[in-house]
Each structure stands twice: as C-alpha cells, then as structure tokens.
Amino acid sequence: MDTVDIARWQFGITTVYHFLFVPLTIGLSALVAVLQTAWLRTGRTAYLRATKFWGKLFLINFAMGIVTGIVQEFQFGMNWSDYSRFVGDIFGAPLAIEGLLAFFVESTFLGLWIFGWDRLPKRLHLGCIWLVHIGTLLSAYFILAANSWMQHPVGYRIDHGSGRAVLTDFWAVLTNSTQLVAFPHTMTAAFATGGMFMAGVSAWHLARRRNVEVFRPSLKLALAVTAIASIGVAITGDLQGKVMTEQQPMKMAAAEALYETERPASFSIFTVGTLNGEEEVFGLKVPRVLSFLATGTLDGEVKGINDVQAAEQERYGAGDYRPMTPVIYWNFRVMVGAGLAMALVSLAGLWTLRRGRLPSSPWVYRIGVLSLTLPFIGNSAGWIFTEMGRQPWSVFGVLKTSSSVSPGVSASSMLISVASLTALYGVLLVIETGLMLKYAKAGPPSEDEVLPPPSDGPGSDSDSDSERSLAFAY
C-alpha cells in the first residue's frame, strides 16, 4: 500500500470508531431529557430512577466520544496537510463554530446538569439537559455542514494565486442541499440508535424481571422512539438518494453495481457475482425500485457505471472515477437492512407490550438484546458507503484524495501511526465496553438513593460516586 491507502485506512478506522459514540450520545441525551421531563410532570420516582440510570450511561458514552473525536482533528494536519491547505478557509469555519459555540453549550450545561441535582431548581435543572441535547444537535449540524461541502462544494471560489479554495458564501455552505437532507437523515438515525440501545438494555433486565417499574416504561418509550425514527430514516434516506443521484451519479450506480444504463432500473436485494461486480452470477431483483429511489418515478433512467465513467473522464480528464463497487454495494444493503430490521423489531416490541403486558417468551428478550447491535452496524455501513462512494475525490469534483495526503509523511510513519491508534482504540473499546456492561447490569439506583432524606438541605448532593468521577474525568 502507498501512503494514500494507509492514510485512508487510518482515517477510516478512527472515523468509524468515533461514529459509534456520536449517534448514541445524541439519541440518549434526548431520551434522558424526556424521562426527566416525565418525572417533573408526574412526580413518579420510577422516572427519576430511570433518568439517573440512563444518564450515567450517557455520561460514559459522551466522555468516550470526546476522547476519540480529538484524534480526528489532529489527522488533518498529520496525514492530510495538502487537503487542509486547500480547504482550510472553508472547512475550518463550521468546525470552529462547532467547537466555540455548540460544544461550549454541551459541556457547560452538562456540567450544570451533573452537579445541579438538589442545587438548582427542578425546572432549571431540566432545562440544562435539554440544552445539552440542543448542543449535540448543533455540533452535528456544523460537522455535517463541513462534510456535506466535501460531497457537494458550494459557496467558494478557487484562488489561482495560492491554489486554495476561498469561502465566498458561508450561508450557502450551511444551507447546502446535501446538508439539508444529510442532517435529518443522520439525526433520525441517532434517535433510532438511542432508542434501540435503551430497548436492548431494558430487555435484558425485564427478562430477569428486575426493576420492572423502571424498565417497562423505558422499553415502551425506546420502542416508540425507534419506530418513529426508523420511519424518519427511511423518508430522509429516500430524499438523500435522489439528491445523491443528481450530484454523484457514480455513487448511486455503484450502490446497485449497475454497469449499464437502465430504464426502468431494478433494485437487487441480493447478488452473487465477480469480485469487481461487473459480471452477475445470480441476483434477486425487485423491478423498478432503483428507478424510484434515484428519480422518484417508477420508469426513471439510472445511469450505469460505464456511462458515468465516460462522462466524468470527459469532464475531469483521464482517470478512474469508479469507487470500490462491491464495498459500496454491500454497505448500502447492510445499511438499509439494519434500518428495516430496527423498524420491524420496534413495531413488534410495541405489539407485545400492548395493554400493559410483558412477554413471557425468553426469545422476545433475546431478540431485543441482540437488536442493540443493529443501529451501530447500520450507522457504520452508512458512513462507509457515504465516504467511500465519493472516491476518488476528497472534495467531489474539485480535489482528489491522491492530491490531499501530506507529502512529507512516509509510508512507514503512517503504518506506525495506524498500528498505534488501532491498538489505543482497541484498549478504549475494552474500557468502554467494560464500563457500559458494568453500569448497565447494575441497574438503576433505589428509591432511597435518588430521594434525599428529609433533613437534607438545598446543598445536599445525591449524585452517585460514579457520576462524580466521570464529571471530574471529563
């Protein structure tokens, strides 16, 4: 492998790993806020216990997301300096606002929420966790705005003296058509992730009939949120597919491994073929579905890889503009399959909980626990599909990935960096998994732990030791 391949491997490993925590942070922050709101409105201690329990898992995940996200910033200067020089004027603006505004809101109000129990008025304390959630949404918006510019660059010009891209319209970057479909798609996926995670942990406890008064409402809320969010994922994903077809026709063609232009075009559920996908041995196809996904009509024309390759050679010059088709093809199906499975599991789960019942079959709970992995699989597959489908471009139509890598970094240095970061992230994975399993299995605090004794004054502290240590570590 050359330096470009190694740099891509490193960025791919660290990005996919970091993205395991981001959707869960966004989703859990909303669910914790909803549970605390329910406690404030009803006064039921079960909702307070649930808020404390899920809030602890949220804090662990939030802290790990910060640790893994810092590396992302460093890589632009380490491995991708030519990219940074070219797009720094544009790419840096939304990232700077994310750090100075959105993350400041998150961290400030999260600190107030952690230490504000029994110190702040209840409504003000509740407002803190809602502001934390709003902060996560703002962070996601600005980061996705930067990524959307890479997918569909707008609001810039090329300074021919320096050879750099110069920002001319920041509002155009923030309202990029790609951004306007990518953000709701990513956020609905985040809510589904938080819901499915809460459902899986709740199912584990309910299978053992532990703290039913806490986990049954948690499970019902989680399944309802997942069901609604899964529908949102499908709708926004459909809109994103149509925008993608218009802006990056090669990505859509690769998603179907469609080499020749078809009208109407079928969607293959499953295909067996050669490694590069050019020859099909067997395929299970649904007629006209790809035409609808790409164009919104059942008889729309979808350009094939060969025709798009010829068109892009004519526009951008000689070169291979095809991504790794098998990777794009299968990640697209994994993403769609995981989303469909989440929708089915959540709807089936709500059916089993109707009229206040709890399922008796252990298989129901086993499926619930195993389904916890679905959003993480789907999110990772979707991220890989989005980024690898853009290749060979780092900024589509403007800057190739091969021209973005740092010229002064050797392949051996990058290999050492990849090995070191992979080992470090492996250790972090063990720590994260261990902490989440420990506190998820421990269950919620008891009523005595969450309700201060009558003699406690306004300065009493009902936070658990684990929450304190996490806050100080943060």
Side-chain angles (χ1 to χ4, degrees), residues 397-420:
V398 178
L399 181 69
K400 288 188 175 181
T401 305
S402 58
S403 301
S404 304
V405 73
S406 299
V409 181
S410 66
S412 58
S413 297
M414 286 191 182
L415 279 173
I416 294 172
S417 179
V418 170
S420 301

Side-chain angles (χ1 to χ4, degrees), residues 66-371:
I66 293 172
V67 173
T68 57
I70 292 173
V71 179
Q72 302 300 102
E73 303 285 344
F74 291 155
Q75 287 187 87
F76 291 119
M78 293 166 53
N79 290 352
W80 303 99
S81 61
D82 278 356
Y83 168 84
S84 299
R85 289 190 195 97
F86 183 79
V87 304
D89 186 60
I90 300 168
F91 203 73
L95 294 185
I97 295 176
E98 187 275 333
L100 295 174
L101 174 63
F103 183 72
F104 180 81
V105 171
E106 287 179 69
S107 56
T108 299
F109 287 100
L110 182 60
L112 290 171
W113 185 76
I114 292 170
F115 294 107
W117 290 101
D118 302 320
R119 290 184 173 88
L120 296 174
K122 289 182 179 180
R123 292 184 181 276
L124 182 59
H125 186 257
L126 172 64
C128 289
I129 190 62
W130 277 111
L131 286 170
V132 170
H133 175 60
I134 292 171
T136 65
L137 296 179
L138 288 173
S139 287
Y141 192 89
F142 288 115
I143 292 172
L144 284 171
N147 181 264
S148 295
W149 187 85
M150 297 167 65
Q151 307 287 342
H152 180 57
V154 295
Y156 77 102
R157 65 177 176 83
I158 301 296
D159 181 72
H160 296 289
S162 63
R164 298 177 57 194
V166 178
L167 181 65
T168 59
D169 189 347
F170 187 53
W171 181 248
V173 174
L174 293 181
T175 57
N176 189 343
S177 57
T178 303
Q179 164 75 346
L180 296 181
V181 292
F183 178 74
H185 185 62
T186 307
M187 292 307 97
T188 50
F191 295 138
T193 301
M196 205 75 260
F197 176 83
M198 183 177 283
V201 176
S202 298
W204 189 87
H205 283 277
L206 290 174
R208 293 155 178 79
R209 294 300 190 268
R210 295 179 181 174
N211 298 293
V212 174
E213 69 280 5
V214 172
F215 288 111
R216 190 185 183 283
S218 294
L219 179 59
K220 193 171 182 179
L221 169 65
L223 292 173
V225 168
T226 303
I228 295 170
S230 296
I231 296 171
V233 168
I235 294 172
T236 56
D238 177 67
L239 295 173
Q240 193 173 20
K242 292 170 175 56
V243 172
M244 181 182 70
T245 302
E246 179 183 344
Q247 297 172 354
Q248 298 182 30
M250 181 66 82
K251 187 184 290 187
M252 178 55 80
E256 180 54 31
L258 183 69
Y259 276 81
E260 302 299 333
T261 300
E262 291 186 6
R263 183 190 183 113
S266 301
F267 178 83
S268 59
I269 298 175
F270 182 83
T271 296
V272 176
T274 57
L275 287 177
N276 62 3
E278 291 190 32
E279 295 183 18
E280 180 182 312
V281 177
F282 170 79
L284 180 61
K285 297 186 176 184
V286 182
R288 298 177 180 269
V289 170
L290 184 63
S291 288
F292 180 79
L293 292 175
T295 67
T297 63
L298 293 176
D299 60 349
E301 180 181 86
V302 181
K303 295 290 185 181
I305 292 174
N306 293 334
D307 287 337
V308 178
Q309 166 70 7
E312 296 200 350
Q313 280 186 325
E314 182 177 349
R315 182 177 182 181
Y316 302 115
D320 189 352
Y321 298 94
R322 300 171 297 177
M324 296 179 65
T325 301
V327 173
I328 307 308
Y329 178 91
W330 286 112
N331 273 284
F332 185 75
R333 275 144 189 80
V334 170
M335 174 185 68
V336 173
L340 179 61
M342 283 192 294
L344 294 176
V345 168
S346 59
L347 291 173
L350 287 171
W351 174 258
T352 63
L353 292 175
R354 69 192 187 283
R355 298 176 183 174
R357 297 187 303 179
L358 275 179
S360 57
S361 172
W363 279 104
V364 173
Y365 300 105
R366 290 171 188 169
I367 292 172
V369 173
L370 290 174
S371 297

